[in-house]
Amino acid sequence: MSSNAPRLTALDALHRSLGATMTDFAGWDMPLRYGSERDEHLAVRTRAGLFDLSHMGEITVTGPGAAALLNHALVGNIASVGVGRARYTMICQEDGGILDDLIVYRLAENEYMVVANASNAQVVLDALTERAAGFDALVRDDRDAYALIAVQGPESPGILKSLTDADLDGLKYYAGLPGTVAGVPALIARTGYTGEDGFELFVAPSDAEKLWQALTEAGAPVGLVPCGLSCRDTLRLEAGMPLYGHELTTALTPFDAGLGRVVKFEKEGDFVGRTALQEAASRAEENPPRVLVGLVAEGRRVPRAGYPVVAGGKVIGEVTSGAPSPTLGKPIAMAYVDAAHAAPGTAGVGVDIRGSHEPYEVVALPFYKRQK
């Protein structure tokens, strides 16, 4: 098998048996859609959807110095995360550029699981390994140790409750607890990327198919459907959630991305990128860089990443993500625009779609917020 053949998840044969359209994503063969992207999207908004996210990169950090290492390597205060809780954070370069956005779970006093985006998993693993020098901590590549299945949508708590006696009601947003689901040992997390309530189940790859089938059967009466990466993208876009490589890149600091809140200068000790990030923070205060905003189309044409945002004949920004929104019924986009044009309702803003300036309304993110 050649080294550039895509990696397969433990559920690969199952996806094919369901007639999934497969695509290469970050070196993995992943389901793009099973049927209609729109139907899958609306199922997650109104009922429930089942996702294979086994391409995500799990990295375990253990040892007495694990908390200190992560505080040094990442921008967040990881030492303050309680056991059983999770935190959204980022790993930055020395110059403040974002290498990846991450979720870190504290599994035990001296054990953490860092979950990286598939496209950056190796970069994050290498950076953590390098930054571990001098710390009493071990960084372990656990990408092959886990399959990851997510069930998302308003019906997901009921579906999961029928398969586990774990305390789901006590499981807060951004928390994780060990449990058994359909007889399978799992880390049950609640940190979704769709704008809906839902759960992520980290399990042994050998248990993935059994768990998928059990969830499929338990969810059938309430309309659960398998979902691909395509609707995952439109769901996270409606929820205003950034995607690495689109809203987040090494050319941007967390402050440029409007996510300066994840950087914790007050934590103990130095951390990689601190000086550059302090400069970025004061720059953002004095002279705000481009601001991430939402754009809603007045017409039907769909904006794509890289399209220029225009006003008064000048380029004032760039689209980072764009797609038709099944929930709003019109095309939407996230874009970085000059601060002068960032206020919701700003008049005269458009997107240059192949030479034609299509009118767009500037709105605050997110486009969609679920009813609690």
Side-chain angles (χ1 to χ4, degrees):
M1 190 170 163
S2 71
S3 60
N4 53 10
R7 298 180 67 174
L8 308 180
T9 78
L11 294 164
D12 184 74
L14 196 143
H15 298 316
R16 292 170 196 280
S17 74
L18 292 171
T21 300
M22 305 297 284
T23 187
D24 180 356
F25 183 82
W28 291 80
D29 217 8
M30 297 297 293
L32 190 62
R33 70 183 80 80
Y34 297 85
S36 148
E37 295 164 12
R38 186 174 177 276
D39 290 350
E40 290 172 25
H41 179 111
L42 294 173
V44 175
R45 286 277 177 259
T46 58
R47 304 186 305 277
L50 193 58
F51 295 84
D52 178 8
L53 304 179
S54 302
H55 60 314
M56 301 294 280
E58 297 87 4
I59 300 160
T60 305
V61 182
T62 55
L69 160 60
L70 290 170
N71 261 14
H72 164 71
L74 312 179
V75 301
N77 188 350
I78 308 305
S80 68
V81 178
V83 173
R85 297 306 303 265
R87 184 153 297 165
Y88 176 77
T89 186
M90 294 183 185
I91 182 166
C92 289
Q93 299 177 147
E94 200 63 73
D95 67 1
I98 303 167
L99 279 173
D100 201 13
D101 61 335
L102 311 164
I103 295 178
V104 180
Y105 297 90
R106 189 169 198 167
L107 304 180
E109 188 60 34
N110 292 330
E111 184 182 0
Y112 296 82
M113 182 166 69
V114 176
V115 181
N117 286 297
S119 53
N120 296 327
Q122 190 64 48
V123 170
V124 173
L125 177 68
D126 292 346
L128 286 175
T129 304
E130 188 183 314
R131 294 173 189 187
F135 289 92
D136 188 3
L138 186 70
V139 176
R140 186 175 74 229
D141 180 359
D142 268 349
R143 283 176 287 180
D144 292 336
Y146 292 103
L148 177 56
I149 295 172
V151 54
Q152 294 279 307
E155 298 285 357
S156 56
I159 293 168
L160 202 55
K161 274 178 190 170
S162 72
L163 298 172
T164 184
D165 55 8
D167 177 19
L168 297 186
D169 292 334
L171 185 66
K172 297 183 174 75
Y173 188 49
Y174 267 77
L177 87 170
T180 303
V181 182
V184 168
L187 171 68
I188 306 168
R190 202 171 199 165
T191 52
Y193 188 59
T194 59
E196 298 301 333
D197 192 10
F199 303 88
E200 297 74 46
L201 306 167
F202 294 87
V203 298
S206 55
D207 288 331
E209 202 162 314
K210 179 186 174 188
L211 180 58
W212 181 280
Q213 298 289 24
L215 288 162
T216 298
E217 285 165 34
V222 291
L224 172 135
V225 300
C227 292
L229 292 181
S230 190
C231 83
R232 181 171 157 85
D233 192 48
T234 51
L235 289 159
R236 69 94 197 165
L237 176 55
E238 287 183 352
M241 294 174 167
L243 176 63
Y244 195 88
H246 289 256
E247 288 72 39
L248 310 173
T249 69
T250 50
L252 297 169
T253 72
F255 294 95
D256 297 324
L259 291 165
R261 65 179 181 276
V262 306
V263 182
K264 302 299 180 193
F265 293 119
E266 70 279 8
K267 65 179 173 176
E268 275 181 45
D270 196 17
F271 63 91
V272 178
R274 179 193 273 273
T275 307
L277 289 168
Q278 277 170 328
E279 287 166 12
S282 53
R283 259 202 322 274
E285 261 177 50
E286 289 159 28
N287 181 18
R290 285 185 165 176
V291 179
L292 189 64
V293 300
L295 298 175
V296 178
E298 291 175 25
R300 308 300 314 160
R301 296 185 71 185
V302 179
R304 298 295 181 192
Y307 284 12
V309 181
V310 291
K314 290 197 177 74
V315 174
I316 56 148
E318 186 176 300
V319 171
T320 52
S321 296
S325 163
T327 306
L328 276 63
K330 29 178 108 161
I332 58 172
M334 285 202 274
Y336 282 108
V337 302
D338 294 347
H341 294 87
T346 301
V349 172
V351 174
D352 184 339
I353 301 182
R354 298 193 190 87
S356 161
H357 289 190
E358 302 286 330
Y360 274 75
E361 183 192 353
V362 179
V363 299
L365 292 169
F367 299 96
Y368 166 84
K369 217 170 191 162
R370 73 182 166 102
Q371 304 304 307
K372 289 281 189 276

